[in-house]
């Protein structure tokens, strides 16, 4: 399917930069000029921002294929946004058999676009034997990591210990859905995510138990209190944070850098392609910082198992 701009925005889960990022209303990324402080409006400012971003190679650490039907759209979206490769998963499946079918759809996407799509293996730690076998199978099929592991079990639960240990053995990262909605982390409020969703505190606990593991907390912009996420994750220096999610509040990336350091941030879109690129371009990052976040940090994790991009 050939995508025009309308289909690209609609089917790829995108949002116009001008509709969701204050940065594209100005002529330069944040901190670039004195005029920027005044918020000078540029009707097509997103074009300049997008053009400027094209000089940076990018690795997307968090993306999705849904039932194998949109691999072609992912490929085209990445081409338009200058994303070299995207790590994709299908998070879900109630049984080991359903999970295997979903992972097979990822393998199909990898084969269709071997220079674009990297595979993320999904498992459920409640099925210990099947999960460990599936990790081995997916790695043998060329998948580069686990992801996006969801909310059947918190990552701090002992059920995750053998999963983390298997990832350490294969020298691959693992990425989990992170939650910071109020009711999930503060008593007395109604939870808005399943109670087994992993909180930043859970990432700290598992990260400190397995400091040699490459654990990624998914989508700082996934909704909820991203300030809380930054403040808590600073206490687990081995845990990484991906920058994806539809929320693109001003100051989000800057605060993550302040509390975690630029070396722990991984560029990702979670299918919010334009906002994913825009929030990195609009943050107060140096040229070296952008290169790290967009490409080098994730590539260094992939390098541990020889899955890096040259």
């Amino acid at each position: 399917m050939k995508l025009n701009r309308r289909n690209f925005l609609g089917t790829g889960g995108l949002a116009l930069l001008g509709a969701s990022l204050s940065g594209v209303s100005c002529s330069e990324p944040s901190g670039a000029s004195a005029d920027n402080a005044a918020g000078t409006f540029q009707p097509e400012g997103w074009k300049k921002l997008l053009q400027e971003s094209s000089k940076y190679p990018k690795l997307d650490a968090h993306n999705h294929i849904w039932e194998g039907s949109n691999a072609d759209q992912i490929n085209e979206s990445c081409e338009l946004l200058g994303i070299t490769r995207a790590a994709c998963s299908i998070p879900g499946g109630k049984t080991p058999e359903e999970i295997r079918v979903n992972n097979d759809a990822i393998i199909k996407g990898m084969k269709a676009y071997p220079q674009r799509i990297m595979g993320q293996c999904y498992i459920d730690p409640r099925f210990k034997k099947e999960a460990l076998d599936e990790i081995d199978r997916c790695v043998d099929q060329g998948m580069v990591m686990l992801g996006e592991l969801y909310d059947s079990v918190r990552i701090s639960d002992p059920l995750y210990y053998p999963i983390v240990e298997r990832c350490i053995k294969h020298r691959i990262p693992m990425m989990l859905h992170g939650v910071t909605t109020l009711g999930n982390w503060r008593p007395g409020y109604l939870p808005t995510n399943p109670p087994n969703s992993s909180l930043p505190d859970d990432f700290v606990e598992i990260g400190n138990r397995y400091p040699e593991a490459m654990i990624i907390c998914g989508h700082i912009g996934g909704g909820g209190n991203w300030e809380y996420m930054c403040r808590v994750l600073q206490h687990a220096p081995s845990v990484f944070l991906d920058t994806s999610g539809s929320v693109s509040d001003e100051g989000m990336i800057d605060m993550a850098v302040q509390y975690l350091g630029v070396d722990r941030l991984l560029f990702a879109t979670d299918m919010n392609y334009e906002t994913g690129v825009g929030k990195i371009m609009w943050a107060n990052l140096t040229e070296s910082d952008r290169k790290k976040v967009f490409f080098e940090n994730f590539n260094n994790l992939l390098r541990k198992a020889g899955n890096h991009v040259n």
Side-chain angles (χ1 to χ4, degrees):
M1 168 180 162
K2 183 67 176 177
L3 296 179
N4 58 29
R5 181 166 177 78
R6 176 176 295 180
N7 288 334
F8 170 63
L9 295 173
T11 60
L14 309 177
L16 277 172
L17 284 175
S20 57
L21 282 179
S22 62
V24 299
S25 296
C26 302
S27 59
E28 298 287 347
S30 181
S33 69
D35 289 341
N36 184 61
T40 305
F41 181 73
Q42 299 291 330
E44 294 188 333
W46 65 270
K47 288 185 178 180
K48 185 169 184 179
L49 198 67
L50 188 59
Q51 182 180 18
E52 175 70 12
S53 75
S54 66
K55 69 181 183 181
Y56 300 101
K58 306 173 190 69
L59 294 178
D60 186 347
H62 182 166
N63 208 315
H64 299 292
I65 290 176
W66 300 114
E67 300 179 357
S69 63
N70 65 327
D72 56 338
Q73 297 168 11
I74 289 172
N75 180 62
E76 187 165 355
S77 298
C78 288
E79 182 69 22
L80 289 169
L81 272 296
I83 298 171
T84 306
R85 294 190 186 179
C88 301
S89 69
I90 299 179
K94 296 181 180 179
T95 66
E97 292 74 24
E98 290 179 3
I99 291 170
R100 185 182 179 98
V101 169
N102 286 340
N103 286 331
D104 283 341
I106 296 297
I107 294 171
K108 181 179 178 181
M110 293 164 54
K111 291 179 177 178
Y113 296 99
Q115 299 305 313
R116 184 75 70 190
I117 294 176
M118 301 182 291
Q120 294 178 329
C121 173
Y122 182 83
I123 56 91
D124 187 329
R126 294 176 299 181
F127 308 110
K128 178 181 176 180
K129 180 182 184 304
E130 292 86 349
L132 294 175
D133 289 345
E134 186 66 355
I135 293 171
D136 294 342
R137 182 183 82 93
C138 288
V139 169
D140 287 343
Q141 291 293 316
M143 292 197 185
V144 301
M145 62 185 292
L146 266 61
E148 175 187 13
L149 307 185
Y150 235 67
D151 49 28
S152 60
V153 178
R154 291 182 182 230
I155 191 174
S156 59
D157 191 291
L159 287 175
Y160 257 113
Y161 295 172
I163 304 302
V164 176
E165 290 165 6
R166 187 58 57 92
C167 288
I168 293 172
K169 177 183 177 181
H170 284 298
R171 297 179 302 214
I172 59 173
M174 56 187 297
M175 184 265 290
L176 281 88
H177 177 79
V179 167
T180 53
T181 45
L182 183 61
N184 286 87
W185 59 270
R186 178 172 291 181
Y189 292 84
L190 180 67
T192 51
N193 282 274
N196 288 330
S197 301
S198 295
L199 306 175
D201 311 74
D202 297 306
F203 285 93
V204 170
E205 183 175 335
I206 196 72
N208 289 331
R209 181 181 180 88
Y210 293 103
E212 70 274 39
M214 294 177 281
I215 297 172
I216 304 166
C217 178
H219 48 59
I220 185 177
N225 191 332
W226 49 265
E227 293 184 351
Y228 176 79
M229 180 178 285
C230 292
R231 291 189 175 99
V232 173
L233 289 181
Q234 69 176 317
H235 301 297
S238 63
V239 173
F240 296 82
L241 175 63
D242 86 47
T243 63
S244 70
S246 58
V247 177
S248 53
D249 294 344
E250 186 174 2
M252 176 188 293
I253 302 302
D254 296 331
M255 184 171 184
V257 171
Q258 176 186 352
Y259 278 85
L260 307 183
V262 72
D263 293 337
R264 292 172 60 188
L265 298 185
L266 310 177
F267 165 71
T269 68
D270 199 6
M271 301 191 74
N272 292 274
Y273 295 92
E274 289 179 319
T275 54
V277 172
K279 67 177 70 172
I280 305 304
M281 292 301 299
W282 194 246
N284 288 297
L285 300 175
T286 66
E287 288 288 293
S288 176
D289 290 343
R290 286 180 184 170
K291 291 176 181 178
K292 286 182 176 182
V293 175
F294 271 137
F295 188 90
E296 294 171 7
N297 291 344
F298 187 37
N299 205 37
N300 286 337
L301 298 187
L302 299 176
R303 193 182 304 276
K304 301 290 180 66
N307 296 320
H308 58 289
V309 178
N310 294 321

